[in-house]
């Protein structure tokens, strides 16, 4: 190959030149050809704009370019950044819509990524566009990945909707094969298959990957493809994953979104857990979504604790499509995703649980009950005493009796903690504290015996610790 | 009080020796013969909470070994131990350690033994045989039917009856007088009603009520209300009103501010669901209990508590909305 040719990226070099070359979009081709030939023959179709939608990299823009060439139209391509505001739309689209073409039959106005426009701050832009469409003298074509966004609803009624299908692995392999032949590259079929699979129907991405491998090594083998594309698997960030789950059009899409997510499934589940009520509001929808999520969590615990990792697959079924199809009654809410409260509060949660655990350890052997009894039955009583006692010297004396730490007192007493701790310290200073009486010890035991028992007590303390940590 | 510290009354007024135990006479008499003979079989104490099972075991050990009995007794609580493996290690080590001077055996006290699985109980049975020369087991259970037959047949069985009204009220009076607490006599009867024959609970309620001042029927109820977070009931009502988001905010509060575990909360919801404060059709209570049971089981299996409880609340909101119950 001639050197300077190499500098043209393959996605441009191998872009389809003719309508024919566009792979596997027969229905879209038919619809658009009919629509555009009407324009070309001077009869303006009823719908003066078309919206092409489908996943990225399946040939939407390429087809428009090929059509423009074939029907002898000028092409005015505008990117999302060109038409963000009402003013910008008026200045660009508004002018082009009524211009006469210098050459050819007219001007195709191509607005790429229209779904990027339909955000709140661009609302004016969309309004402006809606005013232009019924009046335009030139065909307007828009592309979008997701035409079902609520903001695009008014637009959907006024345009010709043209769906582009996702490309299959085989179709992508075919295109890659052809490129390999033209580039005289040695390509292993299995390598092309891997590239095609990882692209998930995005031909543009597949061609870019092929080029990246070929460029460095002059051949495309499976081993090379594996090495270079490792970790290149399309991974969605969390918001995208959530979008793909909540807005999935098919079960497999939702499942793919969660299996490809970069986040581990537990984090993902925490996000879903917090965001279900931000997307669904009908009680029936909420219930079905939480039912699916809770069953996923159940499968996960079984997979984890019993080592049946093959159960993980069901987890993905439930947190992907299980969530998507939980919505049967209501519409989808537009609240922004929120960061899981659980993760935010994890630290404080852990702290409280530690305090409860240490209190339970201290009290269980003194009160001869289990730690769980302490947590459920004794701590609430202590909290009442610490928070509502008429005379705070009483809880203060309990602090001394059980040698409670400041953190423990804070947990028990809430905003009374400071006062109680101060009191306890005062009592401690003013009175000589007798040794804490151990269960089973006579308080007035003779001195020698006391010393002996102190030793035993230490031994016993060691044993108690073993008991808890053993 | 001559000392600067205080301890909880349940600890302070616990009988130390068999002689101090005023009720459960028949049981106490049998236990006293063991002390006299300086020998005993394995024992199984069964009965409801707060009837003195653990206290009797400690008193027995006290009377056998004297003041420092705790060094000759291994205290285990099945619900706190992590598996039979841990228990086995502790028993093994304990069996090897110091022997009492004039009693030929040491005691292994296993509280809440009915919380062990059947498999763990089989392993326990082997332990009992293995160390029967040097140790005696005292097993404590609320439900003896949950103890496997081979263990039951190796133990002398003691059934503890729920305490009678006089026993509890009498004890509360004794404590109140001793502590210089002012009280209305009806208040003590109310405590008995609430405690359902559970002495530990009764004494705890008395102590908490006394902290507020004079013990009256009113303060008793106040204390009982305060001792469980009001958010639980509020959460149930909010959910049954169809407000899932509101209910879940309360769930988060219970978990984070009170530090309650999923299981704690599930148990409390279960308790609440049958109270008159929750105004739902009677059959719905059962339906809810059924669902709670499923959620509880999932938590026991190690499932995420936040997610499981959210699912429970979402379901309750749906049911509440459908039936138009007001909680």
């Amino acid at each position: 190959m001639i050197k300077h040719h190499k500098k043209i990226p393959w996605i441009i070099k191998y872009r389809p030149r003719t309508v024919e070359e566009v792979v596997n979009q027969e229905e879209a081709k038919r619809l658009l050809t009919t629509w555009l030939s009407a324009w070309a023959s001077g009869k303006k179709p009823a719908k003066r704009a078309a919206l092409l939608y489908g996943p990225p990299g399946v040939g939407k823009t390429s087809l428009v370019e090929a059509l423009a060439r074939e029907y002898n139209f000028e092409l005015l391509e505008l990117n999302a950044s060109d038409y963000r505001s009402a003013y910008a739309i008026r200045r660009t689209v508004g002018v082009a819509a009524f211009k006469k073409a210098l050459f050819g039959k007219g001007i195709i106005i191509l607005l790429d990524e229209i779904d990027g426009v339909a955000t709140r701050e661009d609302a004016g832009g969309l309004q402006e566009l809606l005013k232009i469409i019924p009046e335009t003298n030139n065909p307007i074509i828009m592309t979008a990945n997701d035409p079902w966004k609520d903001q695009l609803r008014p637009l959907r009624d006024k345009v010709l909707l043209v769906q582009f299908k996702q490309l299959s692995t085989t179709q992508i392999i075919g295109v890659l094969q052809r490129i390999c032949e033209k580039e005289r590259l040695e390509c292993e079929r299995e390598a092309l298959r891997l590239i095609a699979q990882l692209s998930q129907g995005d031909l543009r991405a597949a061609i870019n990957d092929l080029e990246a491998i070929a460029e460095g090594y002059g051949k495309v083998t499976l081993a090379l493809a594996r090495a270079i594309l490792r970790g290149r698997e399309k991974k969605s960030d969390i918001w995208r994953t959530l979008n793909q789950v909540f807005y999935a059009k098919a079960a497999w899409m939702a499942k793919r979104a969660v299996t490809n997510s970069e986040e581990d499934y537990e984090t993902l589940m925490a996000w879903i857990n917090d965001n279900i009520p931000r997307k669904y509001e009908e009680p029936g929808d909420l219930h079905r979504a939480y039912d699916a999520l809770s069953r996923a969590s159940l499968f996960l615990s079984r997979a984890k604790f019993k080592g049946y990792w093959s159960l993980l697959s069901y987890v993905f079924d439930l947190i992907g499509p299980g969530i998507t199809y939980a919505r049967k009654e209501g519409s989808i809410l537009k609240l922004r995703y929120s960061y899981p409260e659980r993760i935010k509060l994890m630290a404080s949660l852990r702290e409280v649980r530690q305090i409860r655990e240490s209190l339970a350890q201290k009290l269980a052997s003194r009160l001869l009950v289990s730690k769980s009894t302490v947590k459920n039955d004794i701590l609430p009583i202590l909290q009442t005493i610490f928070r509502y006692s008429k005379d705070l010297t009483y809880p203060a004396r309990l602090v001394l009796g059980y040698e409670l730490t400041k953190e423990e007192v804070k947990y028990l007493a809430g905003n009374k903690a400071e006062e109680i701790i101060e009191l306890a310290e005062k009592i401690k200073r003013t009175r000589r504290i007798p040794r804490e009486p151990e269960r089973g010890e006579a308080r007035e035991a003779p001195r020698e015996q006391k010393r002996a028992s102190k030793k035993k007590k230490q031994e016993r303390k060691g044993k108690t610790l073993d008991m808890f940590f053993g | 009080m001559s000392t600067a510290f205080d301890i909880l009354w349940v600890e302070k007024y616990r009988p130390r020796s068999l002689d101090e135990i005023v009720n459960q006479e028949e049981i106490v008499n049998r236990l006293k013969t063991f002390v006299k003979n300086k020998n005993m079989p394995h024992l199984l104490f069964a009965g409801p909470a707060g009837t003195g099972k653990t206290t009797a075991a400690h008193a027995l050990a006290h009377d056998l070994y004297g003041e420092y009995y705790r060094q000759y007794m291994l205290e285990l609580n099945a619900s706190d131990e992590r598996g039979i493996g841990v228990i086995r290690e502790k028993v093994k080590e304990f069996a090897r350690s110091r022997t009492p001077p004039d009693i030929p055996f040491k005691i292994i006290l296993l509280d809440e033994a009915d919380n062990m699985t059947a498999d763990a109980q089989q392993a326990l049975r082997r332990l009992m045989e293995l160390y029967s020369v040097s140790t005696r087991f005292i097993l404590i259970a609320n439900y003896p039917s949950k103890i496997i037959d081979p263990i039951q047949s190796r133990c002398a069985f003691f059934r503890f009856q729920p305490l009678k009204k006089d026993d509890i009220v009498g004890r509360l009076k004794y404590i109140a007088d001793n502590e210089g607490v002012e009280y209305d006599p009806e208040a003590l009867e109310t405590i008995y009603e609430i405690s359902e024959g559970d002495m530990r609970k009764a004494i705890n309620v008395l102590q908490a009520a006394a902290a507020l001042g004079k013990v009256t029927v009113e303060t008793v109820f106040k204390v009982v209300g305060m001792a469980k977070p009001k958010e639980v009931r509020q959460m149930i009502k909010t959910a049954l009103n169809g407000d899932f988001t509101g209910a879940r905010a309360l769930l988060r509060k219970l978990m984070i501010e009170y530090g309650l575990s999923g299981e704690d909360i599930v148990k409390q919801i279960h308790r609440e669901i049958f109270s008159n404060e929750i105004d739902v059709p009677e059959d719905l209570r059962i339906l809810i209990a059924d669902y709670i049971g499923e959620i509880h089981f999932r938590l026991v299996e190690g499932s995420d508590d936040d997610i499981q409880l959210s699912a429970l609340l979402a379901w309750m909101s749906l049911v509440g909305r459908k039936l138009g119950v007001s909680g």
Side-chain angles (χ1 to χ4, degrees):
Chain A
M1 289 258 83
I2 310 163
K3 232 181 183 171
H4 71 262
H5 268 183
K6 276 200 169 169
K7 289 191 176 156
I8 305 173
W10 288 0
I11 45 158
I12 294 176
K13 191 172 168 188
Y14 292 105
R15 185 165 263 203
R17 303 274 148 199
T18 63
V19 175
E20 189 123 347
E21 277 176 28
V22 175
V23 191
N24 185 50
Q25 304 292 357
E26 299 314 318
E27 178 66 13
K29 280 188 211 168
R30 196 183 58 76
L31 277 171
L32 268 183
T33 319
T34 321
W35 183 71
L36 206 61
S37 53
W39 279 101
S41 64
K43 283 175 276 173
K44 288 172 194 148
K47 287 183 172 167
R48 299 196 183 182
L51 175 60
L52 320 189
Y53 67 94
V58 294
K60 296 186 291 289
T61 312
S62 299
L63 182 61
V64 176
E65 285 170 356
L67 279 168
R69 247 190 310 275
E70 238 157 81
Y71 284 86
N72 199 15
F73 275 82
E74 275 179 41
L75 185 64
L76 175 68
E77 276 193 70
L78 294 171
N79 269 320
S81 52
D82 299 331
Y83 47 80
R84 296 197 71 83
S85 63
Y87 171 71
I89 291 273
R90 217 174 298 138
R91 221 189 46 208
T92 55
V93 186
V95 170
F98 304 104
K99 225 164 120 181
K100 273 216 153 153
L102 291 175
F103 318 97
K105 298 213 173 96
I107 306 167
I108 293 178
I109 303 160
L110 175 60
L111 306 176
D112 247 341
E113 299 168 39
I114 192 77
D115 42 358
V117 179
T119 59
R120 189 161 312 202
E121 61 265 37
D122 293 330
L126 201 66
Q127 286 307 317
E128 194 62 32
L129 199 56
L130 284 167
K131 271 189 243 162
I132 297 170
I133 288 174
E135 309 292 331
T136 180
N137 290 329
N138 285 315
I140 296 175
I141 300 181
M142 293 159 283
T143 70
N145 291 330
D146 177 13
W148 308 112
K149 272 191 170 179
D150 279 341
Q151 296 95 317
L152 290 178
R153 193 184 296 147
L155 195 63
R156 284 202 296 269
D157 306 329
K158 298 210 162 141
V159 300
L160 173 73
L161 282 170
V162 182
Q163 187 189 7
F164 277 65
K165 286 192 208 118
Q166 174 136 28
L167 297 179
S168 71
T169 306
T170 326
Q171 284 156 350
I172 291 181
I173 293 175
V175 175
L176 297 179
Q177 191 90 53
R178 240 171 295 142
I179 295 176
C180 287
E181 279 159 22
K182 287 198 179 143
E183 294 286 329
R184 307 220 179 105
L185 268 176
E186 200 187 305
C187 292
E188 287 179 14
R189 176 107 185 146
E190 284 313 300
L192 299 187
R193 177 175 301 283
L194 180 70
I195 296 170
Q197 279 166 348
L198 292 182
S199 76
Q200 293 174 29
D202 184 339
L203 183 59
R204 192 163 37 211
I207 295 176
N208 273 333
D209 282 347
L210 181 72
E211 188 179 7
I213 300 166
E215 202 171 39
Y217 302 90
K219 58 180 178 179
V220 181
T221 65
L222 183 59
L224 277 174
R226 275 212 186 112
I228 291 172
L229 301 180
R230 182 184 300 136
R232 191 67 96 82
E233 290 98 305
K234 232 181 213 173
K235 284 182 172 172
S236 333
D237 64 55
I238 194 85
W239 283 29
R240 213 161 75 216
T241 307
L242 291 176
N243 264 335
Q244 285 165 348
V245 168
F246 283 111
Y247 295 95
K249 292 279 168 298
W252 64 268
M253 286 175 161
K255 178 149 181 176
R256 190 181 67 188
V258 291
T259 44
N260 285 344
S261 175
E262 224 168 293
E263 297 295 338
D264 64 279
Y265 29 78
E266 270 157 338
T267 311
L268 198 54
M269 285 163 79
W271 274 87
I272 293 174
N273 183 21
D274 266 52
N275 284 292
I276 289 171
R278 302 184 74 79
K279 290 284 148 188
Y280 299 166
E281 63 177 339
E282 279 303 313
D285 294 348
L286 284 171
H287 160 61
R288 276 185 293 274
Y290 276 109
D291 194 44
L293 181 64
S294 67
R295 295 195 50 80
S297 153
L298 178 64
F299 280 124
L300 180 61
S301 63
R302 285 178 184 160
K304 248 166 80 177
F305 296 117
K306 303 201 173 140
Y308 301 145
W309 288 106
S310 56
L311 290 176
L312 262 189
S313 180
Y314 306 109
V315 174
F316 293 131
D317 295 342
L318 287 163
I319 61 173
I323 299 295
T324 314
Y325 291 97
R327 185 170 67 88
K328 292 190 195 301
E329 296 160 37
S331 56
I332 208 151
L333 296 178
K334 277 168 236 151
L335 296 172
R336 282 167 65 91
Y337 295 118
S338 71
Y339 193 84
E341 215 170 317
R342 187 73 192 275
I343 299 179
K344 260 190 290 188
L345 299 168
M346 203 52 112
S348 50
L349 186 68
R350 208 171 295 140
E351 198 185 324
V352 177
R353 293 219 168 140
Q354 264 166 15
I355 292 170
R356 281 168 64 84
E357 183 62 24
S358 76
L359 276 167
Q361 276 190 16
K362 256 180 216 177
L363 295 172
S365 75
R366 295 277 297 266
L367 305 181
L368 311 184
V369 293
S370 72
K371 284 191 277 178
S372 89
T373 304
V374 173
K375 287 182 198 166
N376 289 317
D377 298 345
I378 308 291
L379 293 187
I381 291 288
L382 277 172
Q383 272 177 332
T384 310
I385 294 173
F386 274 66
R387 285 168 196 231
Y388 304 105
S389 273
K390 261 180 156 178
D391 176 6
L392 289 183
T393 51
Y394 184 51
R397 289 152 73 101
L398 284 174
V399 170
L400 299 174
Y402 290 104
E403 298 178 343
L404 302 180
T405 66
K406 274 185 185 160
E407 285 73 29
E408 288 163 351
V409 177
K410 263 181 210 145
Y411 172 76
L412 293 172
N415 54 17
K416 298 268 178 69
E418 293 289 319
E419 218 177 318
I420 292 174
I421 291 168
E422 243 170 63
L423 261 171
E425 273 162 4
K426 209 168 121 196
I427 297 170
K428 206 171 170 183
R429 273 199 307 274
T430 50
R431 301 226 197 178
R432 238 184 75 83
I433 313 295
R435 192 171 42 81
E436 157 203 357
E438 184 86 359
R439 162 109 185 84
E441 276 179 18
R443 275 190 204 152
E444 51 285 336
R447 194 159 285 228
E448 310 79 69
Q449 212 175 336
K450 252 187 183 172
R451 205 167 290 140
S453 81
K454 200 167 194 174
K455 202 174 149 219
K456 274 165 196 158
K457 192 176 120 193
Q458 277 161 357
E459 286 178 64
R460 248 172 288 145
K461 262 197 179 147
K463 198 182 85 191
T464 331
L465 287 178
D466 278 350
M467 198 167 113
F468 292 123
F469 297 114
Chain B
M1 292 283 294
S2 60
T3 48
F5 60 82
D6 254 319
I7 57 176
L8 286 170
W9 294 346
V10 271
E11 185 181 355
K12 191 171 172 185
Y13 290 96
R14 181 189 295 283
R16 308 283 144 159
S17 76
L18 291 170
D19 283 329
E20 289 176 38
I21 300 178
V22 284
N23 37 49
Q24 312 286 9
E25 276 163 48
E26 204 182 311
I27 292 173
V28 169
N29 285 337
R30 280 169 71 195
L31 296 180
K32 279 181 178 165
T33 26
F34 297 149
V35 176
K36 209 172 80 194
N37 299 340
K38 294 186 174 179
N39 198 10
M40 65 179 223
H42 297 309
L43 310 179
L44 172 57
F45 291 179
T51 50
K53 302 182 295 295
T54 310
T55 297
H58 277 263
L60 171 64
H62 170 273
D63 291 358
L64 276 168
Y65 306 122
E67 296 291 352
Y68 309 112
Y69 71 92
R70 259 182 145 173
Q71 56 187 309
Y72 303 120
M73 182 160 81
L74 175 64
E75 297 163 52
L76 299 168
N77 195 304
S79 44
D80 291 342
E81 301 300 330
R82 269 165 256 149
I84 185 71
V86 180
I87 291 179
R88 187 185 294 122
E89 279 311 302
K90 284 177 183 168
V91 168
K92 210 159 97 185
E93 195 196 329
F94 174 72
R96 257 192 268 123
S97 69
R98 16 172 211 283
T99 350
D102 53 350
I103 310 278
F105 57 87
K106 290 175 284 188
I107 290 177
I108 295 169
L109 176 65
L110 183 54
D111 215 334
E112 304 193 18
D114 45 352
N115 278 346
M116 294 172 86
T117 62
D119 283 350
Q121 289 188 33
Q122 287 293 351
L124 176 67
R125 189 201 65 172
R126 280 195 292 280
L127 282 181
M128 292 171 77
E129 276 162 8
L130 207 57
Y131 297 106
S132 62
V133 180
S134 59
T135 63
R136 296 291 180 277
F137 280 76
I138 302 178
L139 306 182
I140 296 182
N142 288 137
Y143 305 101
S145 56
K146 278 162 69 183
I147 301 292
I148 58 170
D149 286 345
I151 288 185
Q152 290 208 31
S153 72
R154 280 170 178 77
C155 293
F157 187 83
F158 291 79
R159 184 182 290 281
F160 285 67
Q161 301 297 336
L163 297 181
K164 290 183 209 78
K165 187 175 172 182
D166 289 350
D167 291 336
I168 290 193
V169 173
R171 191 69 179 164
L172 293 179
K173 259 191 196 127
Y174 171 79
I175 294 172
D177 290 340
N178 206 41
E179 293 288 336
V181 171
E182 262 190 284
Y183 61 91
D184 287 342
E186 314 89 82
L188 302 189
E189 293 189 10
T190 308
I191 294 178
Y192 163 75
E193 300 294 339
I194 292 168
S195 68
E196 296 166 323
D198 180 341
M199 183 72 93
R200 180 173 59 233
K201 194 171 173 186
I203 295 175
N204 278 332
V205 171
L206 175 71
Q207 183 162 22
L212 302 186
K214 187 181 178 187
V215 179
T216 63
V217 174
E218 204 192 331
T219 55
V220 167
F221 276 115
K222 208 165 150 195
V223 157
V224 172
M226 281 190 290
K228 50 189 170 184
K230 58 186 180 311
E231 283 84 359
V232 173
R233 183 171 296 171
Q234 215 179 321
M235 177 177 73
I236 297 172
K237 287 185 170 183
T238 311
L240 287 172
N241 270 326
D243 177 8
F244 168 76
T245 322
R248 200 171 57 168
L250 290 166
L251 168 67
R252 292 274 160 76
K253 191 171 179 202
L254 285 168
M255 295 182 96
I256 287 142
E257 273 178 33
Y258 291 88
L260 297 183
S261 72
E263 260 189 274
D264 294 340
I265 297 173
V266 160
K267 282 182 196 160
Q268 295 204 26
I269 296 176
H270 185 218
R271 243 185 260 171
E272 283 290 329
I273 215 72
F274 283 95
S275 93
N276 287 332
E277 292 288 326
I278 306 293
D279 183 22
V280 291
E282 294 302 313
D283 55 347
L284 182 57
R285 296 187 205 277
I286 300 144
L287 217 61
I288 296 175
D290 188 358
Y291 206 95
I292 295 174
E294 170 66 25
I295 297 294
H296 194 161
F297 173 64
R298 292 178 184 181
L299 292 179
V300 174
E301 280 207 320
S303 188
D304 183 275
D305 43 9
D306 196 12
I307 289 177
Q308 294 303 339
L309 284 162
S310 296
L312 174 64
L313 294 179
W315 178 78
M316 283 169 58
S317 319
L318 175 67
V319 173
R321 187 77 72 93
K322 270 192 179 159
L323 294 179
V325 290
S326 54

